[in-house]
Every structure is written in structure tokens, then in C-alpha cells.
Amino acid sequence: MEISARQVQKFNTRKKIIDTAYRIFSEKGFSVPTSVIAKEAGVSHGSIFVHFPTLNNLLVCLLSDFGDKMGRSLHILAKKCDSLEDLLNEHLNVLEENEAFYTRLISEKNRLPDEAKSTFAFIQSTVAFHFSSVVEREIEKGTVKKLPVHMLFNTWLGLVHYYLLNREFFAGFNGPVIRKYRGELLSTYLNLIRKS
Amino acid sequence: MKTCIACGMPMESISDFAANDPSKDYCVHCARPDGEMQSFEEKKENLTKFIVKTQGFDERAAGKIAEDMMRKLPAWKNYFN
Ligand SMILES: [Zn+2]
């Protein structure tokens, strides 16, 4: 199939908008007007609306991309590994790569449009799905305490989110939190849930 | 790579597919024991239960997430018109 120059340009513009929105939202939060994103991306304000008629469309697109990334890397790992430690490490890898964006997401989630909110819920459900499959195998093997899966999951998420939401205290303003605390978060959590 | 039409899971290895059959469009988690795809009601109930079990959410909230999730999947398009 021939791809016309116009299609290439359309694709490039779309990508430029997505990349810029990701960066601006990460830096300034999700209430930045689309006109600012257009200006930063070097495209006309009108062309944002061609690609994303509403802010919600743009948000859902960014969230879906992030969710796909998370889903893919956890899926590959969860299938072949029996180690919760490896899975949590991978979870932290994806969060570290997207730390600013993810932190904005969890701190502003309740103010997002409904569809964006539910997209976020899918992402966490995917993480929970892989978490549960690996942790259940560890419980069966007797390496992890027999606690309800949802409490094991929520305790992990609660811990990580607490550090992210307070990143200015833990890592200094805008400093990366996960890189600094990965080892401590992981080893403490595993110590709490593992059978001695 | 194929993704399951009924839950969106990526299907890479044979064991991801229903009945180990890579010509199927749905995954092992969306199949009944006999290999057929689950119905809308079955899938919704299973997803809801799964969300409650893995995340501890209130059942109604979990049901809404399950439905929103299914809304985006090709297998259930006709249920949301
Ligand atoms: Zn499926």
C-alpha cells in the first residue's frame, strides 16, 4: 500500500501532539489548556482538534499508550517467572520510566474525565492480574504468607504511591523517587510478606 | 500479535489461546471448559469477581469497571448500542 506524504505528515503531527502532551502533562498536570500544548508542539490549535476533538480523547490516548506499555512488559514477565520480586522490579521499571506522568496521574485522577478515569482503572487491573498470578504461585509454594491477594496488592501499591505522592519530601523537588528507593521499597515489602 | 477480542489480553504463546488453538480470537481466560467463548453475562461476572478478588473493590464499582472494560472490546460491541 502506498503511503502518501499527507498521511505521513498527519501521522507525524499526531505523534508530535502526543509526545508534547505527555511532556507538558508530566511537568504541569492535566489542567494545562490544549492551546499551550499546540504552541509547544509547534502545531496550530485547530490541528489538535482534528486529531483529538476533546481533551478526554487526548488523555485516553496517552493513558492507553502507557497502559499498553505496562501490560506488555508485565505480561511477558508474568508468564515465565515465578518470582514476585522480578515482577515488582519490572513494575517499578515501567513506573520509573514514566515517573512524572504516573505521579500526576495518581494525584489528579479524581479530577479527570470519566473515560480517562476508567482507563486508569483498567491499567491497575492489568497490573493486579499479573501480580495475582505470580503471588498465588508463590503462596502455593509456601514462599509468601497466605494473605488475601487484594491486600498483598494494595499494600504494595499503597507503599509505592505514598513515596511517589510525596516525592518532594523523599527525593527533593522533582527528583526521581523510584531510582532512589527501589531497593528499600522492594526488600522491605518482600520481607513483610515472605514466610521466614 | 493478536489480542483477545473478549478481554484485550495479548496472546503470544499457544497456551494463551483458548483450547491451545492459535486460530481462535479469544484467550484461555475467556473460554468455557469446552473451549467455547464465555457469554457477555459470564464474562462480566467473572471480570467483576476477579477485580474484587485482586483489588478488593466494592462489588458495584468492580462491576462498572468490568463493563467499561468490555465496552472497548470487539467481542461485546453489540451489547452497548
Ligand atoms: Zn480473554
Side-chain angles (χ1 to χ4, degrees):
Chain A
M1 193 181 66
E2 285 272 340
I3 299 169
S4 69
R6 240 191 101 154
Q7 279 171 306
V8 172
Q9 198 197 8
K10 205 173 161 196
F11 177 83
N12 287 341
T13 305
R14 187 182 160 89
K15 186 163 186 326
K16 220 188 288 171
I17 295 169
I18 291 174
D19 292 347
T20 308
Y22 179 88
R23 182 169 55 82
I24 303 279
F25 287 151
S26 303
E27 283 166 11
K28 303 194 165 107
F30 296 104
S31 48
V32 175
T34 45
S35 57
V36 173
I37 291 162
K39 204 176 155 207
E40 281 282 329
V43 304
S44 72
H45 197 195
S47 91
I48 283 205
F49 292 106
V50 173
H51 292 274
F52 304 101
T54 65
L55 178 68
N56 180 53
N57 294 137
L58 182 55
L59 281 172
V60 168
C61 174
L62 285 173
L63 280 169
S64 304
D65 281 355
F66 171 66
D68 288 348
K69 234 186 288 173
M70 177 76 91
R72 262 198 309 273
S73 43
L74 294 185
H75 178 78
I76 294 165
L77 204 81
K79 292 270 302 183
K80 62 175 187 212
C81 93
D82 275 331
S83 150
L84 187 65
E85 182 171 0
D86 291 350
L87 188 82
L88 296 181
N89 242 318
E90 187 60 24
H91 185 219
L92 291 179
N93 286 343
V94 181
L95 295 186
E96 184 179 325
E97 265 168 51
N98 302 275
E99 186 172 307
F101 181 75
Y102 187 80
T103 306
R104 286 287 175 190
L105 209 54
I106 56 176
S107 59
E108 296 181 22
K109 189 193 76 89
N110 293 334
R111 294 196 295 278
L112 297 180
D114 280 346
E115 199 191 350
K117 249 189 258 180
S118 64
T119 309
F120 182 67
F122 307 158
I123 298 173
Q124 300 301 43
S125 300
T126 308
V127 178
F129 167 69
H130 296 303
F131 179 96
S132 74
S133 72
V134 176
V135 88
E136 274 173 350
R137 274 179 268 163
E138 288 235 27
I139 291 173
E140 229 168 83
K141 275 191 296 184
T143 43
V144 164
K145 289 176 190 164
K146 206 167 184 298
L147 293 164
V149 171
H150 71 272
M151 286 310 294
L152 288 167
F153 180 68
N154 292 344
T155 304
W156 168 249
L157 220 50
L159 178 66
V160 173
H161 284 189
Y162 182 76
Y163 274 70
L164 287 173
L165 289 171
N166 291 289
R167 65 206 298 241
E168 74 270 35
F169 299 137
F170 286 114
F173 205 66
N174 278 336
V177 171
I178 306 236
R179 197 184 310 156
K180 189 167 172 188
Y181 293 95
R182 172 192 292 265
E184 196 182 12
L185 294 174
L186 209 55
S187 65
T188 307
Y189 176 73
L190 290 170
N191 262 323
L192 289 169
I193 67 162
R194 268 183 185 149
K195 267 189 180 165
S196 44
Chain B
M1 186 188 45
K2 267 176 144 177
T3 55
C4 172
I5 58 163
C7 77
M9 190 185 92
M11 302 188 288
E12 283 154 336
S13 59
I14 297 273
S15 61
D16 289 332
F17 290 87
N20 290 322
D21 176 359
S23 73
K24 291 260 198 294
D25 295 321
Y26 51 96
C27 79
V28 58
H29 306 289
C30 294
R32 292 181 185 150
D34 68 0
E36 288 297 299
M37 197 174 86
Q38 293 169 17
S39 71
F40 179 83
E41 282 72 26
E42 283 171 315
K43 189 66 213 172
K44 192 188 159 189
E45 195 193 327
N46 289 340
L47 268 176
T48 305
K49 277 189 186 152
F50 191 77
I51 292 167
V52 170
K53 186 185 117 189
T54 54
Q55 297 179 84
F57 292 168
D58 171 82
E59 200 160 321
R60 270 168 309 174
K64 185 176 179 306
I65 294 172
E67 223 179 273
D68 286 345
M69 217 181 252
M70 292 171 81
R71 198 185 299 274
K72 301 203 157 189
L73 294 160
W76 317 113
K77 268 213 168 77
N78 296 334
Y79 293 84
F80 292 101
N81 288 326

